[in-house]
Structure formats: C-alpha cells, structure tokens
C-alpha cells in the first residue's frame, strides 16, 4: 500500500476539510472575536461568494485536466504551478469558512432537533428504579447510577476526587465505551435476521433508536454525543455500502457537533474524547506491530497497554493545558481499572435488562454491589499511596501546538518509515528550546 502523505490526504478528505474549518474557528475565536463584528447576514453572503469562487476553481480544474494530455512539457509545468495556487486557494477558502461559521453560530445554533422528552425521562426513571431495587448500598447505588447514566447527584465527592487524582475520571464518565457495549450486543441479536433489505432496514432503525435513546437518557453530554454521531455515521455508511475510513467519520462527527453548537469546541470532555479516539485509532496499530505476539493472553495485555499509552499521548497536552498537573500513577491505574470497569458495565447492562424471575436481579445486584465496593476500596488505597502525588507542570498554548506538531511528525515517521520525519521532529524540539530560551531571557 502506498504510504505517501498525498495518499493519506486522498484517503481522508473529510479529515483535512474538518482540520481547516477547525483552524478557522479557533483563529476567529482567539484573534478576531474582539477585533471585528460580522452579522449573520454578512457572514452568509460571504459564504455564498466563497462557494461560487470554489465552484469556479473546480470547473476550471476539470477543464484543465481534460486538455493536459494535448500540451507540451513547458505548458504542463505552468499548469502544475496553477494547480498548486488553486490548491492553496481552496485551503484558504475552507479556512475562511471556519471563520465565517464562528460568526454565524456564535450567538445561535444552526440546527435544533426536538426529541421525545417524556419517553426519555420514563426510560431513565425505569433504569434508576431497577438499580434502587437491586443495589441497596447507598454508595454502590450512587456509583452505579453515575457510571450507567451520568447521574452524579448522590456520588461520593471524595471518591470522584480519588478517580481524578489517579487520572481515570473517564471511567465514570459516560463515553463511547457505553455505546459500544449497546451497539455490539444489539448487532449480536439482530445478526440472526435474514439478510434481506427490509430486515437490514429494521436492524438499522433498531440500532440507531437504541443508541440515541441511551445517549439522551445519559443527558447527551458532549463525549457521548461524539460516540453516538460516530456510530450513526458508521452504520448508515455501512448500510449505504460506503467505504470505511475511521478518521473521516471522526472528522464528520466534529463538524456535525460544531454546527449544532459551536460551544462544544470549548468542552474539555469533548476535546479529551476526540483526542483519545484519534490516538487509539492512529497509534495502537503501529504499537502492536512493534512487538508481534502469538499468545492470546499476551496479545490482550499488550493491546491494553498500547491503548493506555496511545490515549495518554494524545490527551496529555490537553490535560496539562487546562489543569497544569499530571497523575503519577496514570498508566498503571488505567491498565488495571479500565478492564475492571468494562466488566462492571457489562454486569450493570445485564442487571437492567434481566427479568424479575426467581430473584435473579436481586442476586445480581448483591454481587455487583460487592464488586463496586471492592473496586472503590482499591481506588482509595491507590489514591492513598505516597507515590500518588500530582506532578505540577506549566503548559502554555505554544507548548500545546509544538507537542501536537511533534506527535504528528512522529506518527508520520512510524507510518512511512522515512528518516526525514525524524529530522523534522528534531527541528520542532529546537524551536521549542529556542522559545523557552527567549522566554526566560
């Protein structure tokens, strides 16, 4: 397979479109928000003009490509320069769209979709009622509601702080892991349906209804919205027979969420969620290839380590930028607690859907209650260890940008195996050192 940057860009067009739009949004927020004021109508006119200009470039490019075969090499060289200029113009147009979208959606969302609030409240209350009937311990019950529905009214503040200090607060946050359990298990059930179009449509409707019902039951926080949009794009695309590119789906999800509410850009949970997904998707396959294994137990353990490292590499700068501290036991606690919490999620899902026969829900609730209490005691012990002290690190916007630039270059080196990317990484570190040197001066 070709591994050039051009091939990567061609395979992930939506990723580059989303990146340029996001760059425009961030640029407008940081530098233009206080300097200029553009009304929604003015921004809309500018957007339409840029669309016309983009269509002009597209038509010109198609005409040029049709006559390239009939011209000499000198003219071809000139045509190449023209294409480069047109490419830069397209990038600038997409960047300007990001700026215009910021001013269009800054005060009012572009879209609003009504949903059946009474039905969602009924489903949420039914789950809470089932947990109240089966898990009697107040601490375990509050933790189960927090883990399953994001209800944190009665959660133990000290326990939540312990999870935060260990760098595993994402375990008790509603995220894609919850939807993945629902998604995979519904597919296991519907897998037995005949593969005729009508049954495939029924499967699609059931999957999307279940995913979005649970998303709304969990109060539609930005992190779970990200996962719901991701699964929706994936499954609709699979139904339509489209090609599967994870980065394109992630980028499409970003655009959809920002169009509905641009303030999602500032949500730390959403930032961490997308950063973790990008890290896991891009880096885990490369890490797994470094140490090939045959033993399934070692494969499971190594894959778990790779996921923890990849997620930490891409979320670390965001955590340092916002909180200026790093948990010292973050890798160890993630390696231990993520599989344990995943098992708990499966158990809670089974408890919720289990019928009230022969006291099975009550028995399951007692087992889960003891499991939760034991897990939280482990967390408290880990939090009390003398080594578990947060590392205070000063981290600014310039360091955030350079970190991600170095990470992208490192990925390019691992992906292409070309030494030039190592030189670029070295240059990035030199720039960072120079910035630190002049800032100290």
């Amino acid at each position: 397979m070709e591994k050039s940057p051009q091939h990567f860009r061609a395979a992930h067009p939506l990723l580059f479109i989303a990146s340029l739009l996001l760059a425009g949004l961030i640029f407008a927020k940081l530098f233009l928000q206080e300097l200029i004021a553009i009304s929604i109508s003015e921004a809309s006119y500018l957007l339409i003009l840029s669309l016309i200009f983009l269509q002009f470039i597209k038509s010109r490019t198609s005409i040029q490509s049709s006559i390239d075969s009939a011209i000499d090499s000198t003219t071809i060289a000139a045509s190449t320069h023209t294409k480069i200029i047109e490419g830069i113009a397209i990038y600038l147009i997409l960047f300007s769209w990001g700026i215009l979208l910021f001013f269009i959606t800054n005060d009012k969302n572009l879209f609003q979709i009504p949903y059946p609030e009474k039905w969602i409240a009924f489903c949420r209350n039914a789950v809470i009622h089932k947990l109240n009937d089966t898990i009697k311990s107040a601490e375990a019950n509050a933790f189960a509601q927090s883990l399953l529905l994001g209800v944190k009214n009665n959660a133990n503040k000290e326990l939540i702080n312990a999870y935060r200090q260990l760098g595993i607060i994402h375990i008790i946050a509603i995220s894609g892991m919850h939807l993945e359990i629902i998604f995979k298990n519904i597919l296991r059930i519907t897998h037995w349906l005949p593969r005729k179009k009508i049954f495939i449509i029924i499967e699609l409707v059931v999957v999307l209804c279940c995913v979005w019902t649970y998303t709304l039951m969990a109060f539609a926080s930005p992190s779970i919205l990200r996962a719901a949009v991701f699964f929706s794009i994936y499954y609709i695309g699979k139904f339509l027979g489209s090609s599967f590119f994870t980065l394109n789906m992630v980028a499409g999800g970003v655009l959809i969420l920002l169009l509905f509410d641009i303030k999602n850009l500032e949500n730390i949970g959403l930032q961490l969620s997308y950063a973790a997904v990008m890290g896991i998707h891009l880096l885990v396959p490369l890490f797994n290839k470094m140490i090939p294994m045959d033993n399934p137990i070692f494969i499971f353990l190594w894959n778990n380590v790779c996921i923890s490292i990849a997620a930490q590499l891409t979320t670390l700068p965001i955590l340092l930028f916002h909180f200026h501290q790093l948990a010292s036991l973050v890798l160890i606690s993630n390696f231990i607690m993520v599989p344990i919490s995943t098992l708990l999620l499966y158990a809670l899902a089974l408890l919720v859907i289990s019928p009230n026969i022969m006291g099975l829900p009550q028995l399951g609730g007692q087992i889960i209650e003891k499991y939760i209490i034991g897990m939280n005691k482990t967390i408290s012990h880990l939090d009390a260890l003398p080594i578990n002290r947060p590392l205070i690190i000063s981290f600014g916007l310039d360091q955030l940008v350079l970190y991600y630039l170095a990470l992208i270059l490192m990925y390019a080196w691992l992906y292409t195996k070309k030494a030039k990317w190592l030189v670029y990484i070295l240059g990035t570190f030199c720039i960072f050192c120079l910035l630190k040197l002049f800032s100290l001066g």
Side-chain angles (χ1 to χ4, degrees), residues 56-277:
F56 169 75
I57 293 176
K58 182 181 176 182
S59 60
R60 177 180 163 83
T61 303
S62 60
I63 294 171
Q64 187 67 37
S65 61
S66 64
I67 61 174
D68 275 347
S69 56
I71 52 181
D72 57 22
S73 59
T74 306
T75 312
I76 290 176
S79 175
T80 303
H81 291 301
T82 304
K83 289 181 179 179
I84 293 173
I85 295 172
E86 290 174 350
I88 295 172
I90 292 172
Y91 281 7
L92 290 176
I93 288 172
L94 291 172
F95 183 80
S96 68
W97 284 3
I99 296 174
L100 295 175
L101 281 175
F102 173 81
F103 288 104
I104 292 173
T105 60
N106 193 30
D107 297 325
K108 185 179 180 181
N109 299 339
L110 284 182
F111 306 104
Q112 288 183 342
I113 298 179
Y115 64 93
E117 296 184 31
K118 291 183 178 180
W119 164 250
I120 298 301
F122 170 79
C123 294
R124 186 187 299 123
N125 292 332
V127 172
I128 292 174
H129 181 70
K130 188 69 173 281
L131 294 176
N132 290 338
D133 284 346
T134 53
I135 302 177
K136 301 300 182 180
S137 168
E139 178 184 336
N141 184 284
F143 186 84
Q145 291 188 30
S146 175
L147 183 67
L148 199 59
L149 294 173
V151 179
K152 296 183 172 64
N153 298 336
N154 301 317
N156 188 324
K157 305 300 181 185
E158 293 181 1
L159 183 63
I160 291 178
N161 186 60
Y163 275 88
R164 184 178 291 109
Q165 292 297 323
L166 288 168
I168 53 174
I169 190 66
H170 59 87
I171 285 177
I172 54 177
I174 306 295
S175 63
M177 185 167 59
H178 299 65
L179 284 183
E180 185 179 8
I181 292 172
I182 296 174
F183 185 76
K184 287 184 176 179
N185 284 285
I186 291 175
L187 289 183
R188 287 193 181 101
I189 296 171
T190 58
H191 177 70
W192 300 101
L193 292 173
R195 294 291 91 188
K196 294 182 179 179
K197 189 169 184 180
I198 181 64
F199 291 104
I200 295 174
I201 294 173
I202 292 172
E203 182 185 61
L204 174 68
V205 172
V206 169
V207 168
L208 292 182
C209 286
C210 290
V211 164
W212 282 100
T213 297
Y214 179 73
T215 299
L216 296 170
M217 284 170 59
F219 301 100
S221 63
S223 57
I224 194 173
L225 271 177
R226 187 274 311 162
V229 171
F230 179 90
F231 283 120
S232 300
I233 294 174
Y234 164 74
Y235 207 63
I236 292 172
K238 183 179 177 182
F239 172 75
L240 296 174
S242 303
S243 301
F244 174 76
F245 290 104
T246 302
L247 292 181
N248 281 332
M249 292 193 299
V250 171
V254 172
L255 293 179
I256 291 171
L257 291 180
L258 290 179
L259 287 175
F260 273 96
D261 189 358
I262 196 173
K263 295 180 178 62
N264 284 324
L265 188 64
E266 303 173 6
N267 186 277
I268 299 173
L270 188 69
Q271 294 172 12
L272 292 172
S273 179
Y274 269 109
V277 168

Side-chain angles (χ1 to χ4, degrees), residues 393-407:
I393 301 173
S394 176
F395 207 80
L397 181 61
D398 55 341
Q399 294 161 317
L400 179 94
V401 173
L402 286 172
Y403 180 99
Y404 276 122
L405 179 59
L407 191 62

Side-chain angles (χ1 to χ4, degrees), residues 271-287:
Q271 294 172 12
L272 292 172
S273 179
Y274 269 109
V277 168
M278 294 289 285
I280 291 169
H281 173 71
L282 293 175
L283 299 177
V284 168
L286 298 177
F287 291 162

